[in-house]
């Protein structure tokens, strides 16, 4: 058979700067999300900020620390598409939770039709 | 050869069995005729496809069984045929789905004039509660349940006072009046199911579930528990009696309300205290 | 450990042809296949009995181990079903049968058959044996992990079986394990029984994850040269997709098991609302039983396809080989498998139409559920079109395939009844459902397993199973099983609920007594007929006709190994090179009616159709 | 995209590349080590585990009729007489992110075959992880001291305690397993197993710095999960 090439250096390394940047950004974002609590934002603003920082952080970790940004799309897609099932599950369970608490309040507390 | 014949007999037998079966659904006694109709429709479409597919297969077995040197078609794909089949199936499926969804829409939208019935399930039995004159059921809680308050009605809920309590597993219903069944359970899952009414829903502890139907045939029906609930599951039966207005009202008047029960109990209490006092005096 | 490592020998990569030969005139050479991009795999060869047969790292041995363990649990499940049928058909005949026992048997029967029998048999058994062979790998990519995977499964089975012997017996909560009843008194085995069940399931999940990673990476990253994804046999596609489903669905089972264990042991209230038992309020409150149902079915529905998809794949291969014709619409078949797999994560709550969940979900789930019928239908059409104008060998294997088509279509169509929300309302939790899933899961995949056993036994053991016995086995099983489950639908129509220990008094149920007796008799006969197979296997191992190489004249790689049965490392000293799909049967102009995947184009005389 | 080379295979970028990779023979993830592919798929499966936990938590929290405790207060620490909300959690987050950064650098130096740097960074990561576990233990004991139990909770809904202990416990287990492996791998790096391609304990595979990347994937995943737990448990 063909000679197996000695597996050459296939993976490139990246400049240290990019890691330090991301690292710094993660600290900053964590600080911001902590500030959301510190300043006691409430309601929609709080939740959207929390989610925003959360997804940003998660995205940075995945993309750069876990090198997903540099991986080939075949891998990226295999990893991300299944999340639609989770998204569907989340959406429906949120609706289910609301429905449950509605019936509970309605029949156990409010009552009278 | 004989292989094809046996398979053919199996299909033929299935069809004949379906036509001549003595086992089929009980006569319907509610407004859910639509469910039966959808089942019939599904039988026609689905059964037709089943028979067609199997007959085609049997034909192939007859026609193309092994012969040395037979010329075999080599055709990996036929885009057009596949497209036709996909669309035909999609249309068939959509035709089945549409009536199903329409009826489901009726199923989850309860008519305004429906009579609410509180069905309370426990291991292993049923009891029922009907709204009193105010037409409204009082709120309930499992923790309130005790001998004096068998339904766990919130004692301070004004709507609950005149609720009619039926501490037996026999429920009477008025003919042609929609009922909204409100199900609750004090322990595990149950399901209040009357085959003749076609409809069912689980009773889940911790929440209230509902469904509705309109009984339209006078008679006595058996209630089955249709959700596994422990060793007594198979024996958890009840009865529904559908009656005309007059008999129904008569039955209704014999039942006790919550406040009556409380009053009776208080009286008992007082009497008991008296006796106790007497004994004490002695 | 260290001397073991010294013993490890690596199979040397051969280089009879040099690389230059390829790269030089790549375009011109029609036999050209890219050079290998993955290095040769080092294999650990066992020497002692223990390393060769017990803690063995050869996927084929592991496959057989899985197979035998799964069949053992299957026989247990079968015996349990006999006991159940005895009670249902002839109540009171078995004196020891109480309601407690009955429910324990139902539960263990269901769980064993679905998880420990079918899942383990298809993925652990057939997966391990066939994947490396079919994709042209020397072994699974992580043989050691693979070995652990089997032993985890073995321990899981041991724990499960142990629950028969603990005080209170095994759990009797139904295989769906719904709380609150699963962990409350009033349900048999609500003490140790349910705990052992949950532990066993968790072990199963962990063990399966190890195996599943192996299957996936082997298929994705360790194929031989020339083996593209679209040249894999459908068997591999089926097992692959099922494994993906398992990797994504079992987490929900694991999570629900953990949460239920905590509810039971620590008294948390994940699934437990306020509960009144015997006049006393238990120390639970605020939980939601419906949450468990969602988690369970988020696992449970993909699970039923986990047992269906490998069957789809395998039956495609069997039909194609024995009809001597290429599988019709290969691409469509692959897309259908993948599509069914993907969709199966969006339909779970069709098991919960009448569970008291948010009623508006009904619309969503009915629609998604019925959509699944379309890709499934395409598969059915393609199977029968494959038969069309083929050259069908009516042997035992083909018989099982035909039986599969009949039972699967029947069961699938009753699935359409159930999927259509409002039709499910009267039928849910009745024997109609029981009939549906036995037809589509109990019988149809079982037919495929049997077909696969007759088909691949010559490969595993080197001898042909006896055809006559096989035909008897088939006809009794097929006709018997069909007459068990076809009439059973009508019990559901009259409204007989499932999980009823006794039907007695109700008028429309007494009319069913005759049918129940008939069904039970059929079940005894069908069960007993399985011993024909076991007898056949034993007899064949002793005196069977030697199979020789490739007795079915199949194309796929497993039949083109250096030895039959294949040895450790599968392909001798050279991995095969693949030049075509595995379905080149009866190619016009070709000398024989099959062209193995390894035959290079230059060796095929003129063919009209060039298909990869 | 990393510039890789595979004999006679042309890498294409983006979705065209994906189609080509998928349709090619031998491997679908071109140039991805078996172990790394396996870790990715495992993490995908593990994501589903944590998702199911968090979804259950969402459903449980949404449907309880009892007041949910205000995490900001429950998790406050009193330093010098001032009650600082979420202080401990903030420090834990800080520690975990720090260890994530060191891990990322360890992977980088691993690929550069810089044995010393790689080893020290893995060790630093391990110590960071250990600190995190220690602080979590402290947090648990504090809550238990205040009367929070899996089955009850003095501040409100009982489910709070159940979900809290279960989810942080499961995450903590992941961290602890990670820490054990980090120590082992630190030893292996220092001992030069990856330079000499020494075979692993349980496998027949040759040692390779890619194992550091695989471990790194796991460790970053643990960090990733913490991001979600932090958002949903402590801030929400
Ligand atoms: C291998 C296992 C398997 C498979 C493949 C299926 C396939 C299907 N199942 Fe089944 N099912 C189970 C195993 C399986 N099921 C089990 C175990 C249970 C019970 C669990 C329990 O409660 O204990 C269950 C229960 C169950 C329910 C819940 C019933 C209830 O409890 O109330 C429903 C409801 O939607 C359902 C639907 C379907 C549908 C729509 C399909 C479809 O995928 C079927 C698609 C196939 C076809 C449709 C046939 C081929 C198509 C054609 C020939 C084309 C023409 C057809 C038309 C135009 C209609 N199943
Ligand atoms: C794959 C799944 C599977 C299989 C094969 C079977 C097989 C059988 N099942 Fe079962 N069954 C379930 C899955 C299965 N079942 C499930 C999930 C439930 C629901 C449980 C619950 O409600 O909780 C159930 C419930 C159930 C009930 C309902 C009980 C009730 O609701 O009260 C009944 C009643 O008749 C029944 C009967 C039978 C019978 C008679 C057989 C068999 O006798 C049919 C014939 C048997 C075979 C054809 C052979 C089996 C194979 C082997 C022994 C291995 C040999 C193989 C080799 C050597 C290769 N089953
Ligand atoms: Cu109550 Cu079953
Ligand atoms: Cu399903």
């Amino acid at each position: 058979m063909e000679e197996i090439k000695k597996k050459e250096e296939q993976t490139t390394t990246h400049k240290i700067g990019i890691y330090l940047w991301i690292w710094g950004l993660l600290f900053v974002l964590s600080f911001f999300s902590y500030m959301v609590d510190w300043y006691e934002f409430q309601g929609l603003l709080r939740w959207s900020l929390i989610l925003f920082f959360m997804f940003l952080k998660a995205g940075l970790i995945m993309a750069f620390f876990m090198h997903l940004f540099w991986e080939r799309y075949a891998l990226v897609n295999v990893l991300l598409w299944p999340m639609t099932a989770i998204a569907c599950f989340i959406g429906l369970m949120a609706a289910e939770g609301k429905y449950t608490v509605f019936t509970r309040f309605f029949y156990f507390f409010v009552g009278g039709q | 050869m004989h292989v094809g014949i046996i398979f053919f007999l199996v299909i033929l037998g299935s069809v004949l069995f379906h036509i001549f079966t003595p086992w089929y659904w009980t006569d319907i006694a509610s407004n859910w005729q639509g469910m039966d109709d959808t089942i019939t429709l599904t039988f026609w479409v689905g059964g037709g496809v089943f028979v067609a597919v199997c007959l085609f297969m049997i034909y192939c077995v007859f026609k193309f069984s092994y012969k040395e040197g037979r010329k075999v078609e080599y055709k990996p794909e036929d885009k057009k045929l596949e497209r036709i089949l996909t669309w035909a199936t999609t249309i068939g499926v959509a035709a089945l789905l549409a009536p199903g969804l329409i009826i489901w829409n009726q199923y989850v939208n309860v008519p305004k004039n429906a009579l609410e019935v509180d069905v309370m399930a426990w291991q292993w039995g049923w009891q029922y509660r009907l709204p009193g004159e105010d037409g409204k059921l009082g709120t309930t809680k499992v923790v309130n349940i005790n001998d004096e308050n068998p339904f766990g009605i919130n004692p301070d809920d004004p709507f609950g006072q005149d609720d009619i309590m039926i501490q037996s597993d026999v429920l009477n219903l008025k003919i042609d009046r929609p009922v909204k069944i409100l199900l609750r359970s004090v322990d595990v899952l149950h399901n209040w199911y009357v085959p003749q009414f076609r409809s069912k829903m689980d009773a889940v502890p911790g929440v209230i579930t509902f469904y509705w139907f309109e009984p339209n045939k006078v008679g006595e029906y058996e209630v089955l528990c249709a959700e596994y609930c422990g060793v007594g599951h198979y024996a958890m039966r009840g009865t529904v009696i559908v009656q005309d207005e007059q008999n129904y009202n008569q039955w209704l008047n014999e039942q006790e309300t919550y406040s009556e029960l409380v009053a009776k109990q208080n009286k008992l209490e007082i009497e008991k205290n008296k006796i106790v006092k007497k004994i004490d005096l002695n | 450990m260290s001397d073991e490592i010294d013993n490890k020998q690596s199979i040397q990569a051969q280089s009879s042809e040099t690389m230059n030969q390829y790269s030089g005139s790549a375009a011109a050479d029609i036999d050209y296949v890219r050079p290998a991009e993955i290095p040769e795999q080092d294999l650990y060869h066992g020497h002692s009995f223990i390393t060769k047969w017990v803690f063995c790292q050869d996927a084929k041995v592991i496959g057989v181990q899985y197979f035998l363990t799964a069949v053992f649990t299957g026989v247990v499940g079968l015996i349990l079903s006999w006991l159940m049928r005895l009670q249902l058909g002839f109540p009171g005949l078995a004196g020891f049968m109480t309601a407690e026992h009955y429910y324990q048997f139902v539960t263990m029967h269901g769980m064993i058959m679905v998880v420990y029998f079918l899942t383990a048999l298809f993925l652990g058994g057939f997966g391990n044996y066939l994947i490396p062979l079919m994709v042209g790998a020397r072994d699974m990519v992580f043989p050691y992990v693979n070995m652990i995977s089997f032993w985890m499964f073995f321990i899981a089975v041991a724990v499960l079986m142990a629950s028969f012997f603990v005080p209170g017996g095994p759990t009797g909560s139904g295989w769906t394990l719904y709380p609150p009843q699963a962990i409350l008194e009033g349900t048999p085995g609500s003490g140790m029984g349910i705990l052992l069940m949950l532990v066993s399931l968790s072990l199963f999940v962990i063990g399966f994850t190890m195996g599943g990673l192996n299957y996936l990476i082997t298929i994705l990253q360790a194929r031989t040269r020339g083996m593209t994804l679209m040249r894999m046999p459908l068997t591999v596609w089926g097992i692959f997709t099922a494994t993906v489903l398992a990797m994504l669905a079992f987490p929900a089972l694991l999570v629900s098991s953990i949460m239920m264990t905590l509810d039971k042991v620590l008294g948390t209230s994940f699934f437990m609302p306020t509960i009144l038992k015997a006049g006393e309020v238990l120390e639970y409150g605020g939980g939601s039983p419906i949450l468990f149902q969602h988690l369970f079915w988020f696992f449970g529905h993909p699970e039923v396809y986990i047992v269906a998809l490998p069957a789809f794949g395998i039956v495609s291969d069997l039909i194609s080989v024995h009809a001597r014709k290429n599988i019709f619409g290969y691409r469509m078949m692959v897309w259908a498998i993948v599509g069914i797999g993907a969709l199966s994560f969006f339909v779970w709550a069709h098991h919960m139409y009448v569970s008291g969940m948010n009623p508006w979900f009904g619309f969503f789930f009915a629609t998604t559920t019925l959509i699944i019928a379309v890709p499934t239908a395409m598969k059915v059409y393609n199977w029968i079109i494959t038969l069309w104008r083929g050259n069908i060998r009516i042997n035992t294997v083909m018989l099982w395939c035909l039986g599969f088509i009949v039972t699967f279509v029947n069961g699938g169509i009753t699935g359409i009844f159930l999927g259509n929300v409002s039709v499910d309302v009267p039928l849910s939790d009745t024997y109609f459902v029981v009939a549906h899933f036995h037809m589509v899961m109990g019988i149809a995949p079982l037919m495929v397993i049997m077909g696969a056993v007759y088909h691949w036994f010559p490969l595993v053991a080197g001898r042909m199973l006896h055809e006559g016995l096989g035909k008897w086995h088939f006809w009794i099983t097929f006709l018997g099983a069909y007459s068990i489950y076809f009439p059973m639908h009508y019990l559901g129509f009259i409204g007989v609920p499932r999980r009823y220990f006794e039907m007695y008094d109700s008028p429309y149920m007494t009319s069913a007594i005759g049918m129940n007796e008939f069904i039970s008799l059929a079940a005894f006969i069908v069960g007993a007929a399985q011993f024909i197979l076991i007898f056949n296997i034993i007899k064949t191992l002793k005196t069977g006709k030697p199979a020789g190489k490739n007795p079915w004249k199949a194309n796929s790689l497993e039949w083109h190994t250096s030895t039959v049965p294949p040895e450790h490392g599968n392909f001798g000293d050279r991995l095969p090179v693949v030049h075509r799909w595995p379905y080149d049967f009866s190619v016009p102009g070709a000398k024989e009616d099959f062209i193995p995947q390894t035959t290079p184009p230059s060796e095929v005389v003129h063919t009209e159709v060039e298909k990869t | 995209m990393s510039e890789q080379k595979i004999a006679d295979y042309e890498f294409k970028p983006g979705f065209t590349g994906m189609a080509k990779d998928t349709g090619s023979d031998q491997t679908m993830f071109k140039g991805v080590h078996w172990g790394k592919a396996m870790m990715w798929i495992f993490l995908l499966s593990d994501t589903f585990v944590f998702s199911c936990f968090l979804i259950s938590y969402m459903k449980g929290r949404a449907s309880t009729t009892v007041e949910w405790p205000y995490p900001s207060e429950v998790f406050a620490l009193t330093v010098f007489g001032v009650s600082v909300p979420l202080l401990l959690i903030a420090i834990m987050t800080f520690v975990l992110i720090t260890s994530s950064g060191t891990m990322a650098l360890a992977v980088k130096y691993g690929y550069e075959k810089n044995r010393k740097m790689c080893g020290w960074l893995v060790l630093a990561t391990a110590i960071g992880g250990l600190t995190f576990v220690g602080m979590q233990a402290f947090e648990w004991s504090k809550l238990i001291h205040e009367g929070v139990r899996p089955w009850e909770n003095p501040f409100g809904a009982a489910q709070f305690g159940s979900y809290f202990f279960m989810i942080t416990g499961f995450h903590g287990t992941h961290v602890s397993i990670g820490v054990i492996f980090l120590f082992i791998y630190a030893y292996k790096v220092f001992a030069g197993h990856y330079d000499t391609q020494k075979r692993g304990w349980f496998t027949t595979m040759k040692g390779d710095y890619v194992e550091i990347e695989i471990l790194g994937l796991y460790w970053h995943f643990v960090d990733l999960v913490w991001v979600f737990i932090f958002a949903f448990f402590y801030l929400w």
Side-chain angles (χ1 to χ4, degrees), chain C residues 261-472:
Chain C
T261 312
L262 293 177
D263 275 2
K264 175 77 198 164
V265 179
L266 287 186
T268 53
S269 298
F270 295 118
F271 306 132
M272 308 294 280
T274 317
I275 283 171
L276 188 78
K277 282 231 59 163
E280 262 175 68
V281 178
L282 303 184
E283 290 198 9
Y284 287 116
S288 160
I290 294 185
L291 172 60
F292 177 88
Q293 301 184 14
H294 279 296
L295 285 171
F296 184 86
W297 290 116
F298 190 79
F299 146 76
H301 186 81
E303 166 65 30
V304 308
Y305 285 99
I306 290 168
V307 305
L309 291 179
F312 291 174
I314 291 175
V315 82
S316 311
D317 281 0
L318 302 189
I319 289 180
S320 171
V321 171
H322 293 276
R324 312 309 296 156
K325 196 181 156 208
N326 65 77
I327 192 81
F328 180 79
Y330 174 83
R331 268 162 226 275
M332 177 66 97
M333 294 299 248
V334 171
W335 284 113
I337 288 183
V338 175
I340 294 171
L343 273 174
S344 70
F345 280 99
F346 299 89
V347 301
W348 74 89
H350 68 207
H351 296 270
M352 299 169 61
Y353 288 143
V354 296
S355 71
M357 64 172 177
N358 188 337
W360 299 101
F361 289 2
F363 297 105
F364 176 79
F365 284 106
T367 312
T368 51
T369 302
L370 288 216
I371 289 176
I372 286 204
V374 178
T376 320
M378 294 320 296
K379 297 196 72 70
V380 173
Y381 301 147
N382 286 358
W383 290 322
I384 53 176
I385 297 177
T386 303
L387 296 176
W388 173 253
R389 295 201 179 146
N391 195 6
I392 308 170
R393 296 181 188 145
I394 310 284
N395 54 14
T396 318
V397 182
M398 182 49 88
L399 285 180
W400 290 110
C401 298
L402 301 178
F404 164 80
I405 295 177
V406 173
T407 49
F408 179 75
V409 175
N410 192 309
I413 292 205
T414 53
I416 297 297
F417 283 69
L418 297 171
N420 206 350
V421 235
S422 46
V423 176
D424 182 59
V425 172
L427 298 177
S428 182
D429 278 314
T430 66
Y431 265 86
F432 189 89
V433 177
V434 178
H436 156 69
F437 67 70
H438 278 93
M439 203 63 121
V440 83
M441 176 171 77
I443 298 308
L446 209 88
M447 298 264 149
V448 177
I449 290 179
M450 296 303 175
V453 168
Y454 284 89
H455 183 79
W456 277 301
F457 193 81
L459 178 68
V460 179
R463 290 173 188 273
M464 307 289 282
L465 282 170
H466 189 272
E467 275 284 303
L469 283 175
K471 289 197 167 134
W472 276 103

